[in-house]
Amino acid sequence: MFNLKVLITFICLISVVSSQNILSRDILSQNGSLHDISPQDISFIYEEPIDGLKFVTLLPTYNHLMIWMAFEDEDPECMLPYFHLRIINKITGQTNYIDLNYTLPAEAVCPINNIDFLPVADNYILLYYAKTTNGIKGKHGMIINYSGEFMSEIYLGNADGYVALSNEGFINIEKPDEKGISAWHWYSSPNIETGEVVEHSSGEFHAPNLPSYTLVDSLNFDLVDGGFGFLYILKYDETKGSSVIKDPNVQYWRIYVSFLKVKTDLPTKPSLLYETTQKLNNITLRLCTLTYNAEGYICVMTLNNTITNNNKSWTEINYYQLGFLSTGALVRLEIIPTPTNITDIDLRALYYGGFIVIYQNASAIDFYLLDDNGNYMQSQGSFGPEFFFYNTYRTISTIFGVKEQAKNKLEFLFKPLPKLKKGSEFSPVIESAKPSINEVIDPLIKEITIKYTIPVKLSTGNVSIFQLNDDKYKPGLLRQTFSGDSKLCTIGSDNHTVHIPIFESTFSQQNSTYYVLVGNNFVISQERDEPLIGIRKNIWTLSTSNIHIFF
Ligand SMILES: *[C@@H]1O[C@H](CO)[C@@H](O)[C@H](O)[C@H]1NC(C)=O
Ligand SMILES: *[C@@H]1O[C@H](CO)[C@@H](O)[C@H](O)[C@H]1NC(C)=O
Ligand SMILES: *[C@@H]1O[C@H](CO)[C@@H](O)[C@H](O)[C@H]1NC(C)=O
Ligand SMILES: *[C@@H]1O[C@H](CO)[C@@H](O)[C@H](O)[C@H]1NC(C)=O
Ligand SMILES: *[C@@H]1O[C@H](CO)[C@@H](O)[C@H](O)[C@H]1NC(C)=O
Ligand SMILES: *[C@@H]1O[C@H](CO)[C@@H](O)[C@H](O)[C@H]1NC(C)=O
Ligand SMILES: *[C@@H]1O[C@H](CO)[C@@H](O)[C@H](O)[C@H]1NC(C)=O
Ligand SMILES: *[C@@H]1O[C@H](CO)[C@@H](O)[C@H](O)[C@H]1NC(C)=O
Ligand SMILES: *[C@@H]1O[C@H](CO)[C@@H](O)[C@H](O)[C@H]1NC(C)=O
Ligand SMILES: *[C@@H]1O[C@H](CO)[C@@H](O)[C@H](O)[C@H]1NC(C)=O
Ligand SMILES: *[C@@H]1O[C@H](CO)[C@@H](O)[C@H](O)[C@H]1NC(C)=O
C-alpha cells in the first residue's frame, strides 16, 4: 500500500518580479513593465506518493485537475504499461489516486501518444489506446470511474483517427482512407449507474469528390449543440489535372467544412470555405473553436509560402483567422500579425475574444495577447527557464506552466488571462443573470432572468434547476426543466433578456443549495441563428435560507 498522505498547498504568490523584455521589439511596446508573476497567479504544488513516477500531462477540467503520471521506460518515447492518474477536486482538495490494475499492451505505451484519456462524464474517464487483435490494429476504449474501478470496454475503430468529446457523448473518427472517406462511430455518455456506453450511431464523412485534388489533411472540432464539424484541406494535383495548358486561375488549395449534427446520420454536404491560386508549400489548421459572440466557429490557419524574388528565396509563415457559421458560410478571413522573425509560434483563439501568441525557446515560454483584429494588447507574460510545459485552459481563460519535477514534487503556475470582451462568469455571451450567483433567495420567487450580450431567440435547449445532493458523488435532484421554445419562457422587449418562470415547488426545500443549468442551444442569436453556449452546472448556484418564514 502506498502512503496516501499528501501535501497539497495552494499558495498565492504575492511577489511581483519584473523580467527582461524578451519579445521582438517591433511588435511590443518597450514601456510596459512586465510581470512574470502577478498577484492573481496561483501556484499549486503536488507531491506524488509513488517514487519514480514522472509527470506526463495536466488536464484541468471545470471541477478537477487531472495529473497523468507514468514510469519511464528505457526508451524516452515510451512508458511502462501502467496507468496512474491523480484527480484533484479543485474545491475540496481531495485527491483520487488511480493506479489501474491493468497491464496495457506494449503498442499502447510505446510511443506514449498511442494512449490518451478524456473525462467523459461526471465521475468517469475514457482511456483509449492502440491494441492489435487478430492481426488488426484497432483503438480500444476503457471506462473507469474516479476510484479507478474498471466499468466497461469498447472497440472504437481503426487505430488512426481522433476521439472527441461533446455534450452528447463522444465520437471516434477514423483517419480518411485514400478515397477521403472516414468512418465515424458515435457513443453515448457512460450510464450514470453502470458506466456502460453504447454506440448510438455511425456513418462516414466523405471528402469532396474532386478528381484533380488530393486530401492533405483533415480535422474535427465540436459544435456547441453537441455535434461535430469536420474540415478538409485539399491540394490541386498537377499530375491529376486534365488540362495540359497551365491555367493561371487554378485554385491550388481548398478548404471545405462539413457538419454532423445531433440525431442525424448524414453529415452535411461539404461547403467551400477557402481557396487560393497561390502555390503554397502547405496549409495547416489548428484548434477550431466556438466564437465568444455567436459568430460561429473560428480556426487558426497557417499558410507556409516560399517567395522568390531577385534570385533570393525565403519562406514565410502567415497566420489567418478563418471564421464560419454552422451553415458553412464564411464570415471572417483575416491575417493575424505575428513577429516576423519568430517562426515557431503557437497561436490560439481565446474564449473571451482575441488570441494568445505563445512561443518558446530553450530558456523561456513567453506569451502576449491580440484582440480580434490582431492588434497587440498591453498584456504579456513569461514562464521562466524552470518551466518545461505549458497549456491554456480555454473556458476559464488561463495559461499554466509546469516546473521541472524535483523528486516527487511538481509545481504548477496558473496565470489568469484578461477577458478582452464583455461577458460574465456565466459565459462570454451572457452579460448578467438574476438572482446573482450564491444569492439567498425567496423560495417563492416567480422568475429568474438571463441577459445576453446580443439579441436572442428561444431554441430547443433546456433550462433545468437541480437541488444539490448531500452526497457530492450523487447527481443533483431535478426540480424543474423545460426547453427554451416550450412557450413558458419569454424574451423581454430589449430582445436580450430571457425570463424563465419558476414553479412554486422548485425552491420549496429550505436550507438547500440549488443550481441552474442552462443547456447549450437554449437560445440562438437573433441575427445569425447560431446556437449559444449555456451555463454549466454548479456555476449559477442559489440557496434558500434555513429560517422558515410563515405567512
Ligand atoms: C530565449 O529567449 C530569451 C528571451 O527572449 C532570451 O533571453 C534567450 O537568449 C533565448 N535563448 C535562446 C537559447 O535562444
Ligand atoms: C527579432 O527581431 C528583433 C529586432 O528586429 C530582435 O531584437 C530580436 O532579437 C529578434 N528575435 C529573434 C528570436 O531573432
Ligand atoms: C513610452 O513612454 C514614453 C514616456 O511615457 C512615451 O513618450 C513613448 O511614446 C512610449 N512608447 C511607447 C512605444 O509606448
Ligand atoms: C490485480 O488484478 C488481478 C486479477 O485481475 C488480481 O489477482 C490482483 O490481486 C490485482 N492486484 C492488485 C494490486 O490489486
Ligand atoms: C467506482 O465503482 C466502484 C464499484 O462499482 C464503487 O464501489 C466506487 O464507489 C466507485 N467510485 C466512485 C468514485 O464513484
Ligand atoms: C502539410 O500540413 C499537414 C497538416 O495540415 C501535415 O500533415 C503535412 O505533413 C504537411 N506536409 C508537408 C509537406 O509539410
Ligand atoms: C514550410 O514549408 C517548408 C517547405 O515545405 C518546410 O521545409 C518548412 O519546415 C515549413 N515550415 C513550417 C513552419 O511548417
Ligand atoms: C539571377 O541569377 C542568374 C543566373 O544565376 C543571373 O544571370 C542573374 O543575373 C541573377 N539576377 C540577379 C538580379 O541577381
Ligand atoms: C430536454 O429535456 C427533455 C426532458 O427532460 C429531454 O427529453 C430532452 O432530450 C432535453 N433536450 C436536450 C436538448 O437536452
Ligand atoms: C426586437 O426584435 C424584433 C423582431 O426582430 C424587432 O422588431 C424589434 O425592433 C427588436 N427590438 C429592439 C429593442 O431591438
Ligand atoms: C442547514 O444545512 C446545513 C448543511 O447541510 C446543516 O449543517 C445545518 O444544520 C442546517 N440548518 C438547519 C437549521 O437546518
Side-chain angles (χ1 to χ4, degrees), residues 295-312:
E295 283 191 3
Y297 299 85
I298 197 163
C299 309
V300 174
M301 176 170 81
T302 310
L303 305 188
N304 178 336
N305 194 17
T306 299
I307 297 157
T308 310
N309 204 351
N310 289 332
N311 289 357
K312 269 199 199 156

Side-chain angles (χ1 to χ4, degrees), residues 469-475:
N469 202 301
D470 293 336
D471 178 349
K472 62 182 178 348
Y473 284 115
K474 293 255 168 67

Side-chain angles (χ1 to χ4, degrees), residues 123 145-147 149 151 473:
N123 206 21
N145 74 6
Y146 279 17
S147 316
E149 205 67 44
M151 310 304 291
Y473 284 115

Side-chain angles (χ1 to χ4, degrees), residues 4-42:
L4 295 188
K5 208 171 81 195
V6 284
L7 191 88
I8 296 167
T9 334
F10 278 96
I11 318 166
C12 282
L13 292 175
I14 42 159
S15 61
V16 175
V17 266
S18 66
S19 75
Q20 292 233 293
N21 186 340
I22 30 64
L23 296 169
S24 70
R25 307 283 167 179
D26 50 351
I27 287 248
L28 297 181
S29 138
Q30 297 167 38
N31 284 1
S33 71
L34 284 171
H35 303 297
D36 260 11
I37 297 171
S38 79
Q40 308 92 331
D41 290 356
I42 293 174

Side-chain angles (χ1 to χ4, degrees), residues 216-217 233 282-284:
V216 173
D217 201 16
I233 304 174
N282 207 356
I283 296 188
T284 41

Side-chain angles (χ1 to χ4, degrees), residues 228-243:
F228 296 92
F230 204 60
L231 287 149
Y232 303 93
I233 304 174
L234 303 175
K235 184 188 180 182
Y236 181 74
D237 191 337
E238 276 148 318
T239 60
K240 286 188 190 171
S242 48
S243 74

Side-chain angles (χ1 to χ4, degrees), residues 286-548:
R286 292 216 39 206
L287 297 171
C288 299
T289 50
L290 183 74
T291 57
Y292 66 92
N293 56 355
E295 283 191 3
Y297 299 85
I298 197 163
C299 309
V300 174
M301 176 170 81
T302 310
L303 305 188
N304 178 336
N305 194 17
T306 299
I307 297 157
T308 310
N309 204 351
N310 289 332
N311 289 357
K312 269 199 199 156
S313 88
W314 65 96
T315 295
E316 250 182 34
I317 309 288
N318 285 304
Y319 297 83
Y320 287 81
Q321 46 176 320
L322 184 66
F324 51 91
L325 302 180
S326 45
T327 54
L330 180 76
V331 283
R332 229 168 212 265
L333 175 65
E334 278 158 41
I335 193 157
I336 309 169
T338 51
T340 46
N341 58 354
I342 304 175
T343 49
D344 200 11
I345 66 165
D346 181 0
L347 206 158
R348 305 175 179 199
L350 295 171
Y351 194 56
Y352 281 87
F355 300 89
I356 185 168
V357 178
I358 311 165
Y359 53 101
Q360 188 172 13
N361 70 12
S363 64
I365 300 166
D366 299 318
F367 63 89
Y368 61 91
L369 303 193
L370 300 174
D371 70 9
D372 288 345
N373 301 318
N375 299 314
Y376 169 70
M377 306 297 288
Q378 292 292 330
S379 184
Q380 53 203 272
S382 178
F383 292 97
E386 65 279 26
F387 289 88
F388 74 106
F389 178 95
Y390 73 87
N391 210 339
T392 51
Y393 181 9
R394 190 176 147 75
T395 49
I396 61 164
S397 230
T398 300
I399 182 167
F400 63 88
V402 182
K403 265 191 195 171
E404 213 61 74
Q405 188 170 346
K407 287 217 179 74
N408 291 15
K409 217 177 251 181
L410 273 169
E411 187 174 340
F412 307 102
L413 185 62
F414 294 84
K415 291 170 177 283
L417 299 170
K419 294 173 180 168
L420 299 185
K421 284 285 140 70
K422 62 182 181 181
S424 59
E425 52 273 66
F426 298 105
S427 98
V429 81
I430 292 176
E431 197 175 299
S432 59
K434 276 186 202 159
S436 47
I437 293 176
N438 288 340
E439 202 172 305
V440 177
I441 52 161
D442 172 359
L444 296 175
I445 188 172
K446 290 277 185 297
E447 66 164 26
I448 58 176
T449 58
I450 303 173
K451 186 170 184 197
Y452 289 88
T453 59
I454 55 168
V456 294
K457 294 191 282 192
L458 294 163
S459 185
T460 55
N462 289 334
V463 58
S464 313
I465 299 177
F466 290 88
Q467 183 184 349
L468 281 191
N469 202 301
D470 293 336
D471 178 349
K472 62 182 178 348
Y473 284 115
K474 293 255 168 67
L477 191 67
L478 181 64
R479 302 304 304 242
Q480 73 166 58
T481 185
F482 42 78
S483 68
D485 61 2
S486 66
K487 295 201 167 65
L488 288 163
C489 296
T490 53
I491 293 201
S493 56
D494 63 351
N495 292 337
H496 287 250
T497 309
V498 178
H499 297 260
I500 301 158
I502 300 297
F503 302 154
E504 222 169 278
S505 58
T506 301
F507 293 119
S508 63
Q509 283 289 320
Q510 57 174 337
N511 193 25
S512 289
T513 303
Y514 300 81
Y515 66 87
V516 185
L517 177 74
V518 180
N520 294 345
N521 195 26
F522 171 62
V523 294
I524 56 178
S525 77
Q526 201 180 61
E527 190 188 350
R528 302 179 185 274
D529 283 354
E530 285 292 313
L532 266 53
I533 196 154
I535 304 175
R536 55 179 203 268
K537 66 187 274 190
N538 290 334
I539 296 290
W540 193 4
T541 51
L542 302 169
S543 53
T544 48
S545 83
N546 55 20
I547 307 153
H548 204 125

